[in-house]
Amino acid sequence: MNTVVNSPTSLPVPVQLAATPRSYRPTRRLLASNQPMTHWIQWLVNGLAVVGLLYVITVARNGEFADHYSALAVITLTLMAIIYPTIGVFSRFSNSWSGMARIALVWLATIALVIVLGFVTKTSDHFSRQVVLVWFVAALVTQCAIHLVSHAVSRAWQLNQSMTIPSVVIGSGWLARHLTQRINHNVFIADQVIGVIDNPAGLANWQEDNAPVLGKLEDLDATLASGLVDRVYIALPIERAGEVADLQKRLLNHNIDVIWVPDIYSMKVMNPSIREMAGMPLISLSESPQTTGARAYLKSVMDVTGAISALVLLSPLLLAFAAAIKFTSRGPVFYRQTRTGWDGGQFEIWKFRTMVVHNEGSAHLTQAKKGDARITTVGRILRRTSLDELPQLFNVLDGSMSLVGPRPHSVIHDHEYNRQIDAYLLRHRMKPGMTGLAQVRGLRGETLTVDAMASRVESDLEYIEHWSLKLDLWILLRTPFALFSNTAF
């Protein structure tokens, strides 16, 4: 056995730590919950207020709090626990008005689901309509009041805090600028970006007055050695992602927090999100927003209830159109065509027939255009107002379509435009709709050029990226006005 004796005058040899041993297995959560204490306090107060109001109103009206009202309270709290965090009701990063708007939206959605459950289980007759209505209004007003008070108290408390976390951003591009502005302009964040560090080429365009240039990357260690910085954000563009590992290794020698901000938005992303699997963070770059989550179920409920309501209300009009088509031209009342739907699946779309019966074959499809001789007299009226699309309410009921979403194109056109328009197939990441963002913007009817279709696709992708129930409602409200535009024929 050989023994090595170190000379007292020899310098110690630095030990190189392994970055990640092969036997490493994630054993702890990397996606930690960052909800502040005020979030949980608000949640508790809102839940107690909703249940308390139901109890007070029920006892005042009926003299007792029966078991079915207790079940109503439990169901409501359960739905609130699912819906409220999904929408981000108690977010500190919004103003008081947007916060109250979110509360109104999610409370309306919660009550709508409660009513649907009541009809499905045939228990709605057990409840007093007066109690439920008064409770709904009182709970909404109370929750808005709680939000205003908590928002004001939280803001006042944060403004009075003298403790801040001096931070430095490494980077000077769009990502670094956006991060700096979001941090320094939000009173609810304790961090304060005191400056940025980057290479000279990037720093030449930096113009944030409240976060001056502290130096170049070569000056990083000297800047941090001053002891004036407690946190560093690495916000480099994706083309410089290779520098992140070296920077992180340098920062290990300083007693500071290090946070990496991945630049995923410089890529073509669709509904990006972060989740965890086996202790590892997963960044979704392209995922359908209708796959999971409370919002997806709420959209389905809105589709079914909306389609049923529309069919009942519009049934006289539908019958009148059907009779007009039948008695003015030969052929069936309805026209069915194969379209591409959600996740690339195919389905048969229903429309009122607006053309004379003809056959072009399966390999060719001629788009209808202005003055098209194939369009019937009744069909021209229906197409001009898009009322020929009303039978698609049956598609909504069978789940192949939604009330709002990208309009489905024929399979032939999908193959054609997929070769000419970048990211065209991403529009299939959501259920096709009877109406959509492109339609209310006037991008409907004949597409004479590829650029015209590209504009429609751009609106479709924008809708999927920013999809929310509020956006769906806005599009539905705008649709009647868009129907009478001169774009269609």
Side-chain angles (χ1 to χ4, degrees), residues 8 81 105 179 185 195 208 220 229 266-267 329 357 361 391 423-424 439 442:
L105 176 64
L179 177 67
H185 296 165
E208 291 295 320
L220 176 62
V229 179
S266 63
M267 299 183 286
S329 64
V357 177
Y424 176 87
Q439 282 63 47

Side-chain angles (χ1 to χ4, degrees), residues 15-66:
V15 178
Q16 182 68 41
L17 298 178
T20 305
R22 290 186 177 182
S23 60
Y24 172 78
R25 292 292 184 272
T27 57
R28 61 184 294 271
R29 294 193 61 196
L30 293 181
L31 299 183
S33 174
N34 293 317
Q35 297 292 359
M37 182 62 68
T38 54
H39 171 93
W40 302 111
I41 293 175
Q42 269 191 285
W43 166 248
L44 177 62
V45 172
N46 273 263
L48 291 175
V50 168
V51 174
L53 285 170
L54 179 62
Y55 179 83
V56 171
I57 295 170
T58 303
V59 172
R61 175 67 172 77
N62 301 330
E64 62 175 349
F65 194 67

Side-chain angles (χ1 to χ4, degrees), residues 336-350 365 392 395 399-402 405-418 424-434 460 464:
R336 291 184 292 176
Q337 185 186 56
T338 301
R339 298 287 175 97
T340 305
W342 186 25
D343 277 348
Q346 294 184 354
F347 70 101
E348 279 198 334
I349 194 171
W350 286 69
L365 181 66
Q392 289 161 33
N395 288 115
S400 57
M401 290 183 64
S402 178
R407 286 293 300 158
H409 298 155
S410 67
V411 177
I412 296 174
H413 287 159
D414 279 333
H415 290 317
E416 176 184 345
Y417 288 118
N418 181 39
Y424 176 87
L425 292 182
L426 280 179
R427 63 192 307 275
H428 296 150
R429 301 302 291 159
M430 202 159 190
K431 277 187 183 181
M434 293 184 63
D460 290 337
I464 298 175

Side-chain angles (χ1 to χ4, degrees), residues 165-414:
I165 301 175
S167 306
V168 165
V169 171
I170 297 179
S172 55
W174 174 89
L175 183 67
R177 181 174 291 104
H178 180 73
L179 177 67
T180 300
Q181 292 174 349
R182 296 289 289 181
I183 291 177
N184 286 353
H185 296 165
N186 196 317
V187 298
F188 296 106
I189 299 179
D191 298 37
Q192 182 69 27
V193 178
I194 60 174
V196 299
I197 295 176
D198 200 1
N199 55 36
L203 294 173
N205 298 320
W206 185 259
Q207 296 178 349
E208 291 295 320
D209 295 334
N210 58 349
V213 174
L214 299 180
K216 298 178 292 185
L217 286 175
E218 294 79 26
D219 306 321
L220 176 62
D221 294 304
T223 302
L224 299 180
S226 65
L228 301 178
V229 179
D230 293 335
R231 182 168 293 170
V232 169
Y233 288 90
I234 303 176
L236 296 176
I238 193 168
E239 58 268 17
R240 296 175 59 190
E243 301 178 36
V244 174
D246 292 335
L247 284 170
Q248 191 263 348
K249 190 180 298 183
R250 289 175 62 183
L251 294 170
L252 289 175
N253 296 321
H254 300 274
N255 187 27
I256 56 175
D257 299 330
V258 180
I259 299 174
W260 177 31
V261 186
D263 182 24
I264 65 172
Y265 289 100
S266 63
M267 299 183 286
K268 185 66 177 180
V269 296
M270 180 59 61
N271 189 40
S273 62
I274 299 177
R275 59 180 181 269
E276 179 185 304
M277 179 181 293
M280 298 179 293
L282 308 178
I283 302 178
S284 174
L285 300 179
S286 179
E287 187 176 44
S288 170
Q290 285 188 256
T291 304
T292 57
R295 292 192 308 162
Y297 293 112
L298 289 175
K299 183 176 177 66
S300 297
V301 170
M302 185 174 72
D303 285 340
V304 173
T305 55
I308 293 175
S309 301
L311 284 171
V312 171
L313 294 173
L314 299 176
S315 55
L317 192 62
L318 295 174
L319 291 173
F321 290 155
I325 294 170
K326 190 66 177 177
F327 294 122
T328 57
S329 64
R330 293 181 179 181
V333 171
F334 299 107
Y335 168 72
R336 291 184 292 176
Q337 185 186 56
T338 301
R339 298 287 175 97
T340 305
W342 186 25
D343 277 348
Q346 294 184 354
F347 70 101
E348 279 198 334
I349 194 171
W350 286 69
K351 302 175 70 172
F352 280 126
R353 181 175 58 83
T354 59
M355 292 186 176
V356 296
V357 177
H358 63 284
N359 185 13
E360 290 188 306
S362 59
H364 180 71
L365 181 66
T366 304
Q367 275 193 359
K369 55 186 178 181
K370 291 184 178 181
D372 198 316
R374 299 171 299 170
I375 301 176
T376 64
T377 302
V378 174
R380 199 170 303 278
I381 298 173
L382 294 177
R383 294 178 72 90
R384 185 175 296 278
T385 57
S386 292
L387 293 176
D388 60 319
E389 314 283 357
L390 286 179
Q392 289 161 33
L393 290 168
F394 295 107
N395 288 115
V396 176
L397 284 180
D398 69 22
S400 57
M401 290 183 64
S402 178
L403 291 177
V404 182
R407 286 293 300 158
H409 298 155
S410 67
V411 177
I412 296 174
H413 287 159
D414 279 333

Side-chain angles (χ1 to χ4, degrees), residues 151-168:
H151 190 275
V153 171
S154 180
R155 181 180 176 86
W157 180 83
Q158 192 68 40
L159 288 173
N160 290 330
Q161 295 300 305
S162 58
M163 184 187 71
T164 59
I165 301 175
S167 306
V168 165

